[in-house]
Amino acid sequence: MTLLSLILLQRVFLVLLLFLALDCSKKLQKEDFLIRILINIFSVQKLNRKLVHITIGLVFMLCWPLFGNGRWAPFYAAFIPGVNILRMFVIGSGILKDEATVKSMSRFGDYRELLRGPLYYAATITLASMIYWRTSPISIAAICNLCAGDGMADIVGRRFGSEKLPYNKNKSYAGSIAMASAGFLASIGYMWYFSSFGYMEGGWSKVIGFLVVSVITAVVESHPISTDLDDNLTVPLTSILVGSMVF
């Protein structure tokens, strides 16, 4: 084989390697693009789930004055989330199939998850309506810290939570501060909202009480025990327990 033939073969081989490298690069770019699309879709789904988490309870509380002043008003109000408790139980037990509900309310698409967080969420709103109602700051603290506080903790923590807590690497300073702030501000807003209807009296003592409840609840939510048990359970329980002592 002549020197010229060797040079030609070498160049052909280099050209083939170049085309192979370009083809692999395009495939990797396509795969990377698909992965980014999947990540974005997953992030949007989590954001939508958290927005639902924030708004349902808060919007429902806005409607409490519509139930009138009758003796059975809190029970009429509690009936609505109470039906949702039954719904979560039926779907979470596998008796009824509802993929749309499972996707919107579960973290990993497992229908059995509805027997934990979503069930605790509906139970909190039901019991707050039936037992404490709109005349008690405890109902405001429980729902506002669960909805506004816990919801904002996740959203802010994922976006700005680079500094993790020393006792829980899954929680961040930003998320905990956002939870305490959002729960506190929402509680103050609903205190003045219900006081405008004459259901309760606003004042600085209640403002300080809401601050204490929101801060302690945020600390409990950041503890690993909340991850083990479910923060939809520990957050309202802490709000009710601390609220019973400060109000």
Side-chain angles (χ1 to χ4, degrees), residues 76-88:
Y76 293 145
F79 176 77
I80 297 172
V83 170
N84 210 37
I85 292 177
L86 180 61
R87 182 164 166 258
M88 294 301 103

Side-chain angles (χ1 to χ4, degrees), residues 105-128:
M105 294 190 175
S106 65
R107 295 180 179 179
F108 305 106
D110 187 347
Y111 66 90
R112 290 169 295 186
E113 293 180 58
L114 272 62
L115 294 177
R116 297 196 66 190
L119 183 64
Y120 302 148
Y121 183 97
T124 297
I125 298 174
T126 302
L127 295 176

Side-chain angles (χ1 to χ4, degrees), residues 21-35:
L22 288 172
D23 185 59
C24 291
S25 176
K26 288 178 181 178
K27 287 182 179 179
L28 287 173
Q29 287 177 356
K30 287 179 181 179
E31 289 177 2
D32 183 60
F33 180 67
L34 290 173
I35 290 170

Side-chain angles (χ1 to χ4, degrees), residues 46-54 107 150-151 154-155:
K46 288 190 72 68
L47 178 61
N48 287 339
R49 185 171 61 82
K50 279 300 171 183
L51 291 176
V52 169
H53 180 98
I54 292 170
R107 295 180 179 179
D150 186 43
D154 186 77
I155 293 173

Side-chain angles (χ1 to χ4, degrees), residues 153-175:
D154 186 77
I155 293 173
V156 174
R158 290 181 184 278
R159 180 66 181 84
F160 303 103
S162 56
E163 288 290 328
K164 302 298 182 182
L165 297 173
Y167 55 87
N168 189 349
K169 297 304 179 182
N170 294 320
K171 302 291 182 178
S172 65
Y173 286 102

Side-chain angles (χ1 to χ4, degrees), residues 4-247:
L4 180 60
S5 299
L6 288 173
I7 292 173
L8 287 173
L9 285 173
Q10 184 185 35
R11 290 184 179 180
V12 169
F13 181 69
L14 289 173
V15 170
L16 289 174
L17 285 178
L18 179 61
F19 276 113
L20 182 62
L22 288 172
D23 185 59
C24 291
S25 176
K26 288 178 181 178
K27 287 182 179 179
L28 287 173
Q29 287 177 356
K30 287 179 181 179
E31 289 177 2
D32 183 60
F33 180 67
L34 290 173
I35 290 170
R36 289 185 181 182
I37 289 176
L38 291 173
I39 291 173
N40 288 335
I41 291 172
F42 181 72
S43 299
V44 169
Q45 286 178 341
K46 288 190 72 68
L47 178 61
N48 287 339
R49 185 171 61 82
K50 279 300 171 183
L51 291 176
V52 169
H53 180 98
I54 292 170
T55 56
I56 286 180
L58 298 181
V59 171
F60 181 65
M61 262 207 304
L62 284 176
C63 299
W64 279 359
L66 300 177
F67 289 93
N69 299 316
R71 175 184 175 185
W72 297 100
F75 298 98
Y76 293 145
F79 176 77
I80 297 172
V83 170
N84 210 37
I85 292 177
L86 180 61
R87 182 164 166 258
M88 294 301 103
F89 179 78
V90 171
I91 298 173
S93 301
I95 299 172
L96 178 67
K97 304 295 182 182
D98 190 339
E99 291 298 326
T101 299
V102 172
K103 287 181 180 179
S104 64
M105 294 190 175
S106 65
R107 295 180 179 179
F108 305 106
D110 187 347
Y111 66 90
R112 290 169 295 186
E113 293 180 58
L114 272 62
L115 294 177
R116 297 196 66 190
L119 183 64
Y120 302 148
Y121 183 97
T124 297
I125 298 174
T126 302
L127 295 176
S129 303
M130 189 166 54
I131 298 173
Y132 298 104
W133 197 215
R134 60 200 176 196
T135 57
S136 173
I138 296 176
S139 62
I140 294 175
I143 294 178
C144 287
N145 284 308
L146 173 63
C147 299
D150 186 43
M152 289 305 298
D154 186 77
I155 293 173
V156 174
R158 290 181 184 278
R159 180 66 181 84
F160 303 103
S162 56
E163 288 290 328
K164 302 298 182 182
L165 297 173
Y167 55 87
N168 189 349
K169 297 304 179 182
N170 294 320
K171 302 291 182 178
S172 65
Y173 286 102
S176 295
I177 292 171
M179 176 172 179
S181 302
F184 171 64
L185 293 174
S187 297
I188 298 303
Y190 276 93
M191 177 191 71
W192 291 115
Y193 175 69
F194 288 126
S195 66
S196 69
F197 288 94
Y199 297 132
M200 67 171 61
E201 291 185 7
W204 284 107
S205 61
K206 282 191 176 67
V207 170
I208 294 171
F210 282 128
L211 178 61
V212 171
V213 173
S214 294
V215 169
I216 295 177
T217 301
V219 172
V220 172
E221 191 274 342
S222 69
H223 196 275
I225 192 173
S226 287
T227 304
D228 296 334
L229 294 177
D230 197 296
D231 50 16
N232 281 2
L233 177 64
T234 58
V235 166
L237 284 180
T238 302
S239 297
I240 291 171
L241 179 62
V242 179
S244 299
M245 292 188 288
V246 301
F247 294 121

